Amino acid sequence: MKLRILTAAILMTGALQVTAQSVAKNYKATNNANPISSSVFCADPTVLEFEGRVYVYGTNDHQQFIKNGKKGSNDYGAIKSLVVFSSDDMVNWTFHGTIDVAKLCSSWGWRFAASWAPSVTWRVNKQGKNEFFLYFANSGGSVGMLRADTPIGPWRSPLSKPLIDGDTPGVKPCNWIFDPGVVIDDNGVGWIAFGGGDPNSQGTKLMPGNSRIAKLKESMTALDGKAVNLPAPYLFEASELNMMNGRYVYTYNTSWSDRKDWSKYAKRGNNKAPSSCSMCYMVTDNPLDPDAWEYKGEYVPNEGNFGFGWGNNHTHLQKFGDDYYLFFHSSMLEQDMKTGASGFRSIGVEKANVNESTQTIKQITMTKKGPSAVRNVDPFALQQAETMATSGGVNYEDFTNITRVTNVSTLGNDASSNMQINMKAGSWTMVRNVDFGSEGPKSFTFRASGKGKLEIRFQAVSYATVASFEFSSTSLEDHTFEVDPTVFNGVKNVFFVFTEASNVKFDSWQFAETAPSGIKDITTETLKSGAIYDLSGARLKGKPSRKIYIENGKKHIAQ
């Protein structure tokens, strides 16, 4: 396949607006950061930071949504995979597809039931290699785990059965053995919390008695000693763990029960009783000593207080740069889609006010607006089509793999180093805060297959087209056009609108600088079959220095 350099560009800079009927409807406003995806139902977020990106993993509610025929209620039974997103700016998110947990845990036989509420962590091991560990709720009866060498896999199950179940020492009595929360402390020791449900046989409304915490062995694949009780008042579910200033921070979701016995809680301090089904937290210096845990209060009330329904929540606190962010789920996308279905959740993010020295989390409000971008998008670096802030006419089923790192799942949608999007006539994606600088680009390249017309618009999908490109190819090819640099300048919200599309698959895009420094002009070249990608899914021209990259579906470390 040859790289084609096409010089014919159609520029349309008039002030006319297009009709609303010509583009697909979107269910997430273009100036909102929440939910992080306008096309994927997902919940129970867990997060890690790696090489300047945050990776978000969650319960794949959309798998149940499709199983239900996009109607009815979410009973979670068909959810057997996890979703993966990443971002380096907190407003534009790259969808990496799903982790097919059912296939990865097929050796478990009857022991595998579902994959919910993941928790993830990573470390550099003694051999200097990166290791990623993902723990998940195997329905409500056990906790399983996966391991990988990169944030997007390939993942594998190092065990032939769950890590934790009812026979694990220290677990009984625990009603629900699920919702793991994992952290590696400052000494390199792994810890896992889990559990939930209504009061067990020895519990009360105040102290249900279902929360457990245990130390992990160095392998991270086995417990180091028995699990012990973690005395969390009104605990219901959603355990997660953090480290702050050398101390362990445990977060959880409270129950719906009344708070009549709050005055009996000796460690309540000056804290009011938590509101129903809210997020609360506790801290300690010694996780295995139940008496050492200090209750710190509520930091997120139920989403119903913000108009997003009254479901349970599951949150994760993640530091990115100098700031903390709270990841949560809500029903905001379901409400806006108005499908008639219920219980299908979406992940959102808000900036959090956290004092690390005192391990204090100020109360956080859930909004559709969400956080501001921490950086602008570089249009002169290759960007993946599946990186977007919002979209119209793009559905979960439209994302498919180019380079697979695991076997194709029944949804055809696995965690991948690169994906493409099936675009229909009227479909569009939007990327926020694209910084073209003052000079502007000289050309635009997008990688696509099929036959269609791609139009670029600024600021709103209904605004005038600033550039239009017709293309046709039977396989994924780079289509390059000259553009007017005076049109593309400053920071813009960029809409990629496919006004015509027949079997179109959209892979990536990139602008070329007008006067690049030290960079050669694009020349015609034969592309090799062994494409190379970085971990964000960006296709690279060559092997990077001092970075991990993906080639032919395998991880490599550049020397």
Side-chain angles (χ1 to χ4, degrees):
M1 182 179 66
K2 299 285 187 179
L3 177 67
R4 301 188 305 159
I5 305 298
L6 307 177
T7 58
I10 305 171
L11 296 178
M12 301 172 64
T13 57
L16 294 177
Q17 292 191 348
V18 298
T19 61
Q21 289 77 16
S22 64
V23 294
K25 181 178 176 58
N26 65 311
Y27 299 101
K28 172 186 173 183
T30 55
N31 59 341
N32 288 340
N34 287 326
I36 65 172
S37 173
S38 60
S39 56
V40 179
F41 287 122
C42 48
D44 308 317
T46 185
V47 190
L48 62 81
E49 180 187 358
F50 181 72
E51 293 193 341
R53 297 186 72 84
V54 286
Y55 289 82
V56 179
Y57 309 77
T59 303
N60 189 6
D61 277 20
H62 218 103
Q63 189 170 20
Q64 186 74 55
F65 187 60
I66 292 174
K67 179 73 173 179
N68 286 8
K70 299 186 177 181
K71 57 186 179 182
S73 60
N74 187 0
D75 64 9
Y76 317 112
I79 302 175
K80 302 178 188 298
S81 59
L82 301 167
V83 299
V84 188
F85 290 87
S86 73
S87 176
D88 65 356
D89 63 10
M90 305 305 285
V91 298
N92 295 295
W93 292 89
T94 303
F95 183 42
H96 296 287
T98 63
I99 303 170
D100 190 348
V101 184
K103 284 193 174 182
L104 295 175
C105 298
S106 60
S107 64
W108 293 18
W110 63 269
R111 293 181 180 88
F112 177 79
S115 54
W116 308 335
S119 185
V120 69
T121 190
W122 74 284
R123 71 183 179 190
V124 178
N125 65 20
K126 292 180 179 179
Q127 290 72 43
K129 295 183 178 180
N130 296 311
E131 291 182 305
F132 297 81
F133 304 96
L134 189 152
Y135 302 79
F136 64 92
N138 180 34
S139 189
S142 63
V143 171
M145 72 160 299
L146 304 173
R147 184 192 173 281
D149 296 328
T150 80
I152 57 171
W155 294 92
R156 64 181 179 85
S157 174
L159 304 173
S160 59
K161 62 179 182 178
L163 170 69
I164 301 168
D165 60 22
D167 294 327
T168 301
V171 169
K172 294 179 180 178
C174 179
N175 286 352
W176 297 343
I177 305 168
F178 79 157
D179 283 15
V182 65
V183 74
I184 296 176
D185 68 19
D186 299 339
N187 297 314
V189 177
W191 298 86
I192 187 167
F194 59 93
D198 293 325
N200 64 31
S201 58
Q202 301 174 10
T204 64
K205 289 181 179 179
L206 175 62
M207 284 294 171
N210 292 313
S211 183
R212 300 288 183 272
I213 190 166
K215 184 179 179 182
L216 289 163
K217 289 186 177 180
E218 185 177 352
S219 66
M220 301 289 286
T221 61
L223 301 191
D224 187 3
K226 70 177 184 178
V228 302
N229 183 52
L230 196 167
Y234 302 115
L235 169 100
F236 190 64
E237 59 182 3
S239 296
E240 269 284 24
L241 289 169
N242 283 81
M243 292 299 299
M244 291 184 192
N245 196 30
R247 303 194 79 194
Y248 303 83
V249 179
Y250 171 68
T251 60
Y252 66 99
N253 186 244
T254 65
S255 68
W256 295 94
S257 68
D258 64 64
R259 306 301 196 236
K260 294 178 180 178
D261 50 2
W262 179 244
S263 61
K264 298 178 182 178
Y265 182 42
K267 293 189 175 183
R268 65 187 184 279
N270 294 322
N271 293 295
K272 296 180 180 178
S275 57
S276 295
C277 203
S278 61
M279 297 301 305
C280 294
Y281 70 115
M282 304 177 73
V283 301
T284 191
D285 295 311
N286 185 359
L288 297 180
D289 180 1
D291 293 330
W293 285 94
E294 174 191 355
Y295 177 77
K296 296 277 283 186
E298 175 185 301
Y299 62 96
V300 189
N302 188 272
E303 62 172 322
N305 292 279
F306 312 114
F308 301 135
W310 290 95
N312 299 339
N313 219 305
H314 195 128
T315 71
H316 180 87
L317 285 164
Q318 180 65 41
K319 192 173 184 181
F320 185 51
D322 295 328
D323 297 307
Y324 272 90
Y325 293 86
L326 177 85
F327 290 82
F328 62 91
H329 67 233
S330 76
S331 61
M332 61 176 68
L333 181 61
E334 178 187 85
Q335 289 179 347
D336 289 341
M337 289 182 72
K338 296 181 174 63
T339 64
S342 63
F344 296 97
R345 303 156 296 177
S346 302
I347 292 174
V349 59
E350 295 287 351
K351 197 170 183 179
N353 190 334
V354 175
N355 186 323
E356 288 184 311
S357 62
T358 61
Q359 303 87 52
T360 301
I361 309 168
K362 288 192 176 180
Q363 193 164 104
I364 302 166
T365 299
M366 301 178 192
T367 68
K368 289 185 177 181
K369 182 179 179 180
S372 300
V374 299
R375 60 177 55 82
N376 292 330
V377 174
D378 180 5
F380 307 115
L382 192 142
Q383 303 290 341
Q384 291 303 307
E386 61 271 19
T387 300
M388 64 187 78
T390 188
S391 63
V394 175
N395 298 308
Y396 171 87
E397 305 94 306
D398 292 323
F399 294 90
T400 56
N401 288 331
I402 295 175
T403 301
R404 300 186 182 100
V405 292
T406 59
N407 293 329
V408 176
S409 73
T410 54
L411 296 176
N413 200 8
D414 286 292
S416 174
S417 57
N418 192 22
M419 304 186 79
Q420 61 191 4
I421 312 173
N422 298 323
M423 303 295 290
K424 301 169 285 293
S427 296
W428 55 272
T429 65
M430 188 270 275
V431 181
R432 288 176 66 180
N433 305 315
V434 179
D435 189 354
F436 292 100
S438 58
E439 299 296 326
K442 65 178 182 180
S443 65
F444 171 63
T445 299
F446 63 96
R447 187 168 177 81
S449 64
K451 182 178 181 180
K453 180 187 287 187
L454 169 59
E455 297 184 2
I456 294 180
R457 302 170 187 173
F458 293 154
Q459 304 312 107
V461 72
S462 61
Y463 279 18
T465 298
V466 298
S468 179
F469 317 102
E470 294 185 9
F471 64 97
S472 179
S473 59
T474 56
S475 60
L476 284 173
E477 292 185 16
D478 286 345
H479 304 278
T480 300
F481 298 81
E482 291 181 347
V483 296
D484 183 351
T486 63
V487 174
F488 295 86
N489 56 70
V491 179
K492 301 285 197 303
N493 291 339
V494 178
F495 293 78
F496 299 101
V497 186
F498 287 82
T499 54
E500 299 175 13
S502 177
N503 298 317
V504 169
K505 293 182 169 85
F506 184 28
D507 176 29
S508 61
W509 59 272
Q510 184 176 17
F511 287 85
E513 294 178 90
T514 302
S517 175
I519 301 176
K520 295 181 180 179
D521 290 339
I522 296 176
T523 57
T524 301
E525 60 177 324
T526 300
L527 298 180
K528 298 179 180 180
S529 60
I532 299 172
Y533 307 88
D534 70 15
L535 291 183
S536 71
R539 186 163 51 87
L540 305 175
K541 292 294 185 183
K543 296 179 181 179
S545 61
R546 299 190 304 278
K547 278 199 179 272
I548 298 173
Y549 63 94
I550 305 293
E551 183 176 13
N552 292 327
K554 296 182 179 179
K555 187 201 74 168
H556 301 271
I557 301 177
Q559 302 297 323

